Amino acid sequence: MSEEKKNKSGFVALLGRPNIGKSTLMNFLVGQKVAITSNKPQTTRNKISGIYTTNDMQVVFVDTPGIFKPHVELDDYMDKASVSSLNEVDLILFMVEPEKMGKGDQYIIELLKKVTVPVFLVINKVDQVNPNELLPIIDDYRQLGIFKEYLPISATQGIGITDLNKVLYDYLPEGPAYYDPDQITDRPEYFMVAELIREQILQLTAEEVPHAAAVWVEQMNKHENNKLQIEATIYVEKSGQKGIIIGKNGSMLKKIGINSRKQIEDLLGEKVNLHLWVKVQRNWRSDPRFLKQIGYNTKDLT
């Protein structure tokens, strides 16, 4: 008679340079969007937890902002959010591209040398390279002597995910689930709504505009005509950016609203009326007081 598998549970940090595919991997594993994605770097600004539950394992993935050297107050917040997560988890997945180790990777590796929890090297986007090219890359990282496992994957194609799940189960501690099996994130709905709006700004605008935009949900608790009424403000740093977000005769803001509403309705499972405003808040990314006001609270990250 086979022995019944023990239940495992724990927290796993996803770490790596910006735009490496951390959010894509977490969304794939959870089976539903819990973190926004785009082809622009620095998409993720907060630590966002995705909850992945199977019959014998619950993994709380902490999707950290991509680590890079800070330039403004918001960058500093994002970096502290990533670094703080290293001391709060059971395992760390360090994600890299299938290419030679770069300066950004080396910067993170110096941080990883100080942690005591197991660290796995996850080489993402392996569907884009010849398998023979992976061996010298793995050898370079193996020489560092800090990784317990080496896992080639593709977060978009699902390659290597079965092996990743097996390794996670092997290393996680025994214990009951932290969350209800149907729960997929620890973030409140208003946060997810703001992120979905910001995702559309990332996808539909260019240059400095996406990174100069923040979204704050003012209200989403009132129903009229069987629709949830959501009011949200998009903050930008310059008048010119406001003009781009609004667009000619309001065309861009309308497009952002229509696309966001569809995503929000899928998330919440109900019909929504979405009202968007655009305001200029000069240099908000370097204003600690305003960052705190719109949810980027650094007090527990230092």
Side-chain angles (χ1 to χ4, degrees):
M1 185 174 174
S2 61
E3 186 179 337
E4 187 177 341
K5 287 187 78 175
K6 297 181 174 67
N7 198 77
K8 300 286 194 80
S9 62
F11 292 80
V12 176
L14 292 168
L15 211 65
R17 287 183 288 118
N19 211 30
I20 199 72
K22 300 183 298 298
S23 298
T24 303
L25 174 61
M26 186 169 69
N27 289 342
F28 183 94
L29 289 165
V30 171
Q32 191 171 331
K33 178 182 285 189
V34 293
I36 66 172
T37 61
S38 85
N39 59 2
K40 299 179 177 72
Q42 301 171 35
T43 300
T44 304
R45 287 178 177 168
N46 299 74
K47 286 189 293 184
I48 301 171
S49 294
I51 303 161
Y52 173 54
T53 305
T54 67
N55 290 334
D56 51 27
M57 178 173 72
Q58 184 173 84
V59 186
V60 184
F61 288 100
V62 183
D63 178 24
T64 60
I67 293 183
F68 55 97
K69 292 187 178 179
H71 299 293
V72 297
E73 192 81 26
L74 178 62
D75 292 351
D76 190 48
Y77 165 81
M78 292 163 67
D79 231 23
K80 285 178 178 175
S82 294
V83 174
S84 72
S85 66
L86 303 182
N87 302 311
E88 301 168 354
V89 297
D90 299 290
L91 304 170
I92 296 171
L93 301 184
F94 174 42
M95 291 184 69
V96 298
E97 300 264 7
E99 61 189 24
K100 189 175 180 181
M101 197 185 315
K103 286 185 177 180
D105 298 315
Q106 291 168 358
Y107 176 72
I108 300 172
I109 285 166
E110 291 307 308
L111 300 175
L112 292 175
K113 287 178 179 178
K114 302 170 186 174
V115 304
T116 56
V117 301
V119 183
F120 304 161
L121 181 74
V122 177
I123 304 174
N124 193 23
K125 307 178 185 178
V126 296
D127 55 307
Q128 300 176 12
V129 297
N130 187 301
N132 293 332
E133 296 175 38
L134 289 175
L135 292 176
I137 296 169
I138 292 173
D139 282 343
D140 283 347
Y141 280 103
R142 199 185 300 275
Q143 290 176 25
L144 296 170
I146 62 173
F147 301 107
K148 295 287 187 183
E149 302 282 349
Y150 302 84
L151 299 161
I153 71 154
S154 168
T156 56
Q157 304 299 315
I159 297 168
I161 299 301
T162 300
D163 290 338
L164 173 60
N165 279 331
K166 182 182 182 304
V167 169
L168 289 171
Y169 181 86
D170 289 343
Y171 279 82
L172 282 174
E174 290 181 37
Y178 292 96
Y179 296 94
D180 185 282
D182 294 328
Q183 191 170 345
I184 61 166
T185 183
D186 65 345
R187 285 288 182 174
E189 287 180 343
Y190 72 85
F191 172 86
M192 301 300 297
V193 166
E195 285 288 274
L196 290 174
I197 297 167
R198 192 167 68 85
E199 181 177 46
Q200 293 305 315
I201 297 168
L202 281 160
Q203 293 180 353
L204 295 172
T205 62
E207 297 175 3
E208 86 279 3
V209 176
H211 303 303
V215 180
W216 181 249
V217 173
E218 310 284 351
Q219 177 185 292
M220 58 173 289
N221 56 6
K222 188 170 69 174
H223 284 80
E224 289 180 9
N225 301 321
N226 296 318
K227 287 187 178 183
L228 177 64
Q229 307 297 308
I230 299 177
E231 299 179 6
T233 301
I234 300 169
Y235 290 98
V236 291
E237 293 188 318
K238 301 174 184 176
S239 298
Q241 295 163 352
K242 178 178 179 179
I244 292 170
I245 295 261
I246 293 174
K248 188 175 181 181
N249 298 322
S251 57
M252 177 58 77
L253 190 62
K254 184 178 180 181
K255 193 171 184 180
I256 291 169
I258 290 171
N259 291 4
S260 300
R261 180 175 53 77
K262 290 176 183 174
Q263 297 271 356
I264 293 165
E265 287 180 342
D266 287 343
L267 173 75
L268 302 179
E270 64 176 310
K271 291 293 184 182
V272 162
N273 257 345
L274 178 62
H275 306 276
L276 298 175
W277 287 268
V278 187
K279 294 182 181 179
V280 175
Q281 181 74 26
R282 300 200 180 277
N283 300 317
W284 68 262
R285 284 179 289 180
S286 298
D287 183 347
R289 186 179 299 178
F290 183 75
L291 286 170
K292 184 175 181 179
Q293 181 183 322
I294 61 170
Y296 300 118
N297 196 340
T298 62
K299 68 180 175 61
D300 60 342
L301 299 174
T302 52

